[in-house]
Short mmCIF file of all heavy atoms in Angstrom, two decimals:
data_model
loop_
_atom_site.label_atom_id
_atom_site.label_comp_id
_atom_site.label_asym_id
_atom_site.label_seq_id
_atom_site.Cartn_x
_atom_site.Cartn_y
_atom_site.Cartn_z
N GLY A 253 81.40 122.14 105.64
CA GLY A 253 80.37 122.51 104.66
C GLY A 253 78.94 122.17 105.15
O GLY A 253 78.71 121.97 106.35
N LYS A 254 78.05 122.04 104.20
CA LYS A 254 76.67 121.85 104.51
C LYS A 254 76.20 120.40 104.11
O LYS A 254 74.98 120.11 104.22
CB LYS A 254 75.83 122.84 103.80
CG LYS A 254 76.12 124.24 104.26
CD LYS A 254 75.13 125.27 103.62
CE LYS A 254 75.48 126.72 104.01
NZ LYS A 254 75.44 126.91 105.50
N THR A 255 77.12 119.58 103.66
CA THR A 255 76.73 118.21 103.31
C THR A 255 77.82 117.19 103.88
O THR A 255 78.96 117.66 104.13
CB THR A 255 76.70 118.03 101.77
OG1 THR A 255 77.95 118.38 101.22
CG2 THR A 255 75.60 118.93 101.19
N PRO A 256 77.48 115.93 104.02
CA PRO A 256 78.49 114.99 104.50
C PRO A 256 79.67 114.91 103.61
O PRO A 256 79.47 114.96 102.34
CB PRO A 256 77.69 113.65 104.64
CG PRO A 256 76.52 113.85 103.77
CD PRO A 256 76.17 115.33 103.77
N THR A 257 80.84 114.65 104.17
CA THR A 257 82.03 114.52 103.39
C THR A 257 82.79 113.22 103.96
O THR A 257 82.40 112.62 104.96
CB THR A 257 82.98 115.71 103.47
OG1 THR A 257 83.52 115.83 104.83
CG2 THR A 257 82.25 116.99 103.11
N VAL A 258 83.88 112.95 103.35
CA VAL A 258 84.75 111.82 103.84
C VAL A 258 85.20 112.07 105.25
O VAL A 258 85.42 111.18 106.03
CB VAL A 258 85.97 111.62 102.90
CG1 VAL A 258 86.83 110.50 103.45
CG2 VAL A 258 85.44 111.29 101.51
N ALA A 259 85.29 113.38 105.66
CA ALA A 259 85.70 113.64 107.06
C ALA A 259 84.69 113.02 108.05
O ALA A 259 85.07 112.47 109.08
CB ALA A 259 85.76 115.17 107.26
N ASP A 260 83.36 113.18 107.72
CA ASP A 260 82.33 112.52 108.59
C ASP A 260 82.51 111.00 108.61
O ASP A 260 82.44 110.38 109.63
CB ASP A 260 80.99 112.94 108.10
CG ASP A 260 80.75 114.42 108.15
OD1 ASP A 260 80.50 114.92 109.30
OD2 ASP A 260 80.73 115.14 107.14
N LEU A 261 82.76 110.43 107.43
CA LEU A 261 82.82 108.95 107.36
C LEU A 261 84.08 108.44 108.06
O LEU A 261 84.01 107.36 108.62
CB LEU A 261 82.83 108.47 105.92
CG LEU A 261 81.56 108.90 105.12
CD1 LEU A 261 81.56 108.27 103.76
CD2 LEU A 261 80.26 108.57 105.82
N CYS A 262 85.15 109.25 108.07
CA CYS A 262 86.36 108.80 108.74
C CYS A 262 86.31 108.99 110.23
O CYS A 262 86.86 108.25 111.02
CB CYS A 262 87.60 109.54 108.19
SG CYS A 262 88.08 109.01 106.52
N LEU A 263 85.57 109.98 110.67
CA LEU A 263 85.42 110.17 112.08
C LEU A 263 84.37 109.31 112.73
O LEU A 263 84.33 109.01 114.00
CB LEU A 263 85.01 111.66 112.40
CG LEU A 263 86.17 112.61 112.38
CD1 LEU A 263 85.69 114.05 112.15
CD2 LEU A 263 87.00 112.53 113.66
N TYR A 264 83.43 108.81 111.94
CA TYR A 264 82.26 107.97 112.46
C TYR A 264 82.69 106.70 113.17
O TYR A 264 82.20 106.44 114.25
CB TYR A 264 81.27 107.77 111.35
CG TYR A 264 80.06 106.99 111.83
CD1 TYR A 264 78.99 107.60 112.42
CD2 TYR A 264 80.07 105.51 111.72
CE1 TYR A 264 77.87 106.87 112.89
CE2 TYR A 264 78.94 104.86 112.09
CZ TYR A 264 77.87 105.50 112.72
OH TYR A 264 76.78 104.76 113.14
#
Side-chain angles (χ1 to χ4, degrees):
K254 298 184 182 302
T255 59
T257 69
V258 178
D260 296 286
L261 300 187
C262 287
L263 280 159
Y264 179 85

